[in-house]
Amino acid sequence: MSGKGNPKKSKFIFVTGGVTSSLGKGIIASSLAKLLQARGLTCTIQKFDPYINIDPGTLNPYEHGECYVTNDGAETDLDLGHYERFLNTPTSQANNITTGRIYHNVITKERRGDYLGKTVQVVPHITDEIKRNIMLLGESGKFDIVITEIGGCVGDIESLPFIEAARQLKWDLGEKNTLFIHLTLIPYLASAGELKTKPTQHSVKQLSESGIQPDILVCRTEHPLPQEMKKKIGLFCNVSEADVIEARDASTIYEVPLLMKEERLDSRVLYKLDIYNDKESNLKNWTSFLSKLQNPKFEINIGLIGKYVELKDSYKSIAEAFIHAGAANDIKVNLNWISSETMDTEDVSETLAGLDGILVAPGFGERGIQGKINAVKYARENKIPFLGICLGMQCAVIEFARNVMGLSEAHSFEMNPESPDPVINLMLEQKDISEKGGTMRLGAYPCKIEKGTLAYKIYGKTSIQERHRHRYEFNNDYLDQFHKAGLVTSGINPDSNLVEIVEIENHPFFVGVQFHPEYKSTVESPSPLFVQFVKAAHQHAVPFIKNSK
């Protein structure tokens, strides 16, 4: 696509959605990017979110699902997790922009006097700032194609400036350099026994009123779209029949790229962007993963202990990491979502009995903390494979201090500032910070692993990099006491000397990590920690299977 030695000139694809939210724009964008990548093209995806928060960092997980963290420390939308899991390439701050960030940038410029006294308006100032952000990745010279997913629904007041900026870019960039894909819904009315196209027609009409004519329609549907219906949709929506793509509900999101390939979505995109590419998609690794995922040899039950379990998206990356690790082991992982608030001392054994592994999830705040500590104690005493992530690792440290070292009032400074033994304490550089947004330890940090430990066996090397999102740390004042009592600190940050990984000897698998290994787990590179945890959980389950026969 580009001459030797010349930087790549990117082409831009915009993905919009209509009729209803949560149709899966992120999955369609990721699937298309995967197909283009499999043909040898370089792709990246960015998400534009219409809310006024600067980033999702301060949002309750019930509001917006998990907050995903990139290598460069950006707190982003969970769709960026899909982008990375599908493409196996890292994203960055430039891949997620909110209305809040756009307005913040414009207002900062206005206060600085950059606009030379002009009246600052939505058009052109806000739209220009949106366009600048859309173009950032394209101007890096790294990508053939930049896919931009515009959050929300067509017709929402919030997303209008983004739609307008995309409309302007179509004219700025010229013919064959932009493409609009509109994701819509074809509902099935059970009483009439019919699929209905009217919501799609209205959605496209609304988009057209904003000055955008979609090039390709991707239609979410529970039932197959007859050719006659594709023809009708094309006729009423000003697109050719070949550009009406059926997106049927799939058993797993990882099936979607193959379904889109069948519908020739990537071929239509290349044709419309005037990109000549006769390479056959290389999806060998992908189909191998999918085959293992859909035909497991074994099955295990893992308990996920968290306080946001009612909304599964709150722990999206963890759930997906289990899918990747399960497939790598030919194992189906059944997740039992258990609320830490219901984990009273009395019913812990009743709730956790029969589990092959226990994961204590990350989180913030005091709510449900005792339930997490109780779960750690149960896993430690009953020799059940255990993995604690972030706050889960901190709970493991607190539990060990209380029940092994005899420091009965040990706690985290976050939960109890009055504790005589704050074994988890506020990082020194955090003590004077009052603002919450973007002020934690965020992004990828190095970790040095001690040879001969379980962590070394898991990772197979002494130096790793994992992503962080936290404000509190292991209190090094207690380091010697923990070591004497038998807690192994097997991973240390080489720059700050802060503890990254703890483990216990004489246990089938007991690991707590201060970082978030789930963020880096992808289809093609599953997290080693999750892979070995699933393996240990299966080995724990095997004796029970044999005994029950």
Side-chain angles (χ1 to χ4, degrees):
M1 227 193 97
S2 49
K4 210 174 184 184
N6 295 331
K8 292 178 178 176
K9 192 172 188 302
S10 301
K11 300 210 176 198
F12 294 82
I13 297 171
F14 296 94
V15 179
T16 57
V19 184
T20 173
S21 58
S22 304
L23 284 182
K25 291 191 295 292
I27 302 300
I28 292 296
S30 301
S31 299
L32 172 59
K34 184 77 220 169
L35 292 175
L36 295 170
Q37 186 190 58
R39 284 170 170 262
L41 295 163
T42 51
C43 296
T44 189
I45 317 172
Q46 57 185 175
K47 172 83 184 278
F48 278 65
D49 269 312
Y51 50 75
I52 294 175
N53 304 62
I54 298 276
D55 58 44
T58 55
L59 283 174
N60 184 315
Y62 284 137
E63 287 277 327
H64 210 69
E66 77 168 5
C67 174
Y68 185 78
V69 177
T70 58
N71 275 337
D72 64 351
E75 293 177 287
T76 71
D77 183 80
L78 61 79
D79 270 328
L80 269 76
H82 290 311
Y83 306 162
E84 290 202 14
R85 287 189 280 273
F86 274 61
L87 293 178
N88 201 31
T89 53
T91 53
S92 69
Q93 177 71 73
N95 291 75
N96 191 202
I97 304 292
T98 66
T99 292
R101 190 173 293 284
I102 295 292
Y103 273 82
H104 179 266
N105 292 352
V106 169
I107 290 165
T108 303
K109 285 179 187 174
E110 186 273 330
R111 293 287 83 186
R112 268 203 318 252
D114 291 10
Y115 298 115
L116 305 173
K118 279 194 165 67
T119 305
V120 179
Q121 295 175 287
V122 172
V123 180
H125 302 100
I126 296 295
T127 50
D128 279 354
E129 181 62 18
I130 294 170
K131 288 196 293 187
R132 186 184 73 78
N133 280 277
I134 291 171
M135 296 299 292
L136 273 177
L137 288 166
E139 287 163 356
S140 68
K142 294 178 189 171
F143 306 107
D144 295 312
I145 292 171
V146 176
I147 300 175
T148 302
E149 179 194 342
I150 296 175
C153 243
V154 165
D156 293 350
I157 290 171
E158 293 99 326
S159 55
L160 280 174
F162 293 109
I163 298 287
E164 169 59 19
R167 182 197 69 78
Q168 290 177 22
L169 268 179
K170 181 178 182 175
W171 298 106
D172 294 348
L173 296 169
E175 201 68 28
K176 305 282 189 185
N177 287 318
T178 58
L179 179 88
F180 287 86
I181 296 175
H182 189 53
L183 179 61
T184 177
L185 178 70
I186 308 285
Y188 178 76
L189 293 189
S191 55
E194 282 182 334
L195 288 162
K196 290 294 181 186
T197 66
K198 193 59 76 179
T200 293
Q201 293 174 41
H202 282 303
S203 182
V204 172
K205 182 170 178 261
Q206 193 142 35
L207 190 57
S208 303
E209 285 171 3
S210 300
I212 290 172
Q213 167 59 46
D215 299 287
I216 293 173
L217 287 180
V218 176
C219 304
R220 277 297 303 271
T221 171
E222 294 173 35
H223 300 272
L225 278 185
Q227 205 58 38
E228 270 303 302
M229 188 161 279
K230 284 189 172 185
K231 198 173 180 178
K232 179 184 175 184
I233 293 167
L235 181 67
F236 280 99
C237 298
N238 285 336
V239 299
S240 75
E241 203 176 316
D243 294 323
V244 179
I245 305 289
E246 174 189 301
R248 200 131 33 107
D249 292 357
S251 58
T252 163
I253 57 170
Y254 298 110
E255 213 181 326
V256 178
L258 301 182
L259 295 175
M260 291 299 100
K261 186 173 187 276
E262 272 176 43
E263 285 285 301
R264 303 188 70 245
L265 175 62
D266 52 334
S267 301
R268 296 306 298 165
V269 164
L270 293 170
Y271 170 73
K272 287 184 164 286
L273 285 174
D274 199 25
I275 298 172
Y276 177 73
N277 179 290
D278 59 358
K279 280 189 184 176
E280 190 55 42
S281 302
N282 179 9
L283 289 166
K284 194 179 164 193
N285 291 348
W286 195 270
T287 47
S288 162
F289 159 78
L290 200 56
S291 170
K292 286 182 160 197
L293 178 64
Q294 293 174 330
N295 304 289
K297 294 175 186 169
F298 313 103
E299 211 168 308
I300 59 168
N301 296 302
I302 302 277
L304 189 152
I305 322 294
K307 68 175 185 177
Y308 306 113
V309 292
E310 290 86 353
L311 182 71
K312 310 279 191 287
D313 273 1
S314 302
Y315 304 107
K316 189 68 180 168
S317 291
I318 290 175
E320 298 303 315
F322 273 121
I323 290 172
H324 308 152
N329 284 293
D330 292 306
I331 293 169
K332 182 186 179 191
V333 179
N334 298 316
L335 281 184
N336 296 31
W337 301 81
I338 301 165
S339 170
S340 55
E341 289 183 85
T342 61
M343 299 274 294
D344 306 336
T345 314
E346 295 77 38
D347 65 3
V348 168
S349 53
E350 202 177 300
T351 310
L352 302 181
L355 291 174
D356 306 311
I358 292 169
L359 181 141
V360 174
F364 293 92
E366 196 177 355
R367 189 165 57 86
I369 193 82
Q370 191 54 49
K372 289 184 175 185
I373 293 168
N374 293 343
V376 174
K377 184 172 189 274
Y378 181 85
R380 182 179 58 79
E381 291 181 343
N382 292 281
K383 300 272 196 282
I384 296 168
F386 165 82
L387 177 57
I389 297 176
C390 201
L391 181 62
M393 172 266 210
Q394 297 177 359
C395 288
V397 170
I398 296 164
E399 190 279 328
F400 193 89
R402 286 181 186 179
N403 300 315
V404 178
M405 291 159 58
L407 304 174
S408 60
E409 290 184 66
H411 218 315
S412 165
F413 184 83
E414 178 186 9
M415 319 302 168
N416 179 14
E418 306 301 316
S419 168
D421 292 299
V423 289
I424 303 295
N425 209 347
L426 199 58
M427 291 188 288
L428 202 61
E429 64 268 30
Q430 291 285 332
K431 293 200 170 170
D432 299 323
I433 290 175
S434 56
E435 285 195 7
K436 297 287 184 209
T439 56
M440 291 181 280
R441 188 171 166 212
L442 290 162
Y445 285 85
C447 171
K448 193 172 184 304
I449 295 176
E450 196 73 37
K451 279 189 174 176
T453 59
L454 177 56
Y456 181 74
K457 187 182 164 194
I458 290 166
Y459 281 98
K461 48 189 177 182
T462 55
S463 186
I464 60 166
Q465 275 223 343
E466 292 278 14
R467 299 179 195 175
H468 291 248
R469 183 177 184 248
H470 59 100
R471 193 171 270 114
Y472 295 82
E473 297 276 2
F474 183 100
N475 188 341
N476 279 350
D477 293 348
Y478 290 84
L479 205 54
D480 289 345
Q481 278 176 264
F482 275 107
H483 287 167
K484 280 173 191 161
L487 187 80
V488 179
T489 52
S490 52
I492 305 286
N493 179 292
D495 305 320
S496 60
N497 224 29
L498 292 167
V499 173
E500 298 275 356
I501 308 173
V502 299
E503 56 187 71
I504 293 174
E505 292 173 331
N506 306 318
H507 191 287
F509 189 103
F510 191 102
V511 179
V513 293
Q514 184 59 80
F515 47 77
H516 289 258
E518 71 274 19
Y519 288 149
K520 283 179 81 170
S521 184
T522 70
V523 167
E524 291 179 32
S525 304
S527 162
L529 197 51
F530 276 85
V531 170
Q532 294 306 319
F533 176 53
V534 166
K535 195 174 183 179
H538 175 244
Q539 284 165 353
H540 175 264
V542 170
F544 292 101
I545 295 166
K546 282 179 184 166
N547 293 341
S548 63
K549 282 183 181 174

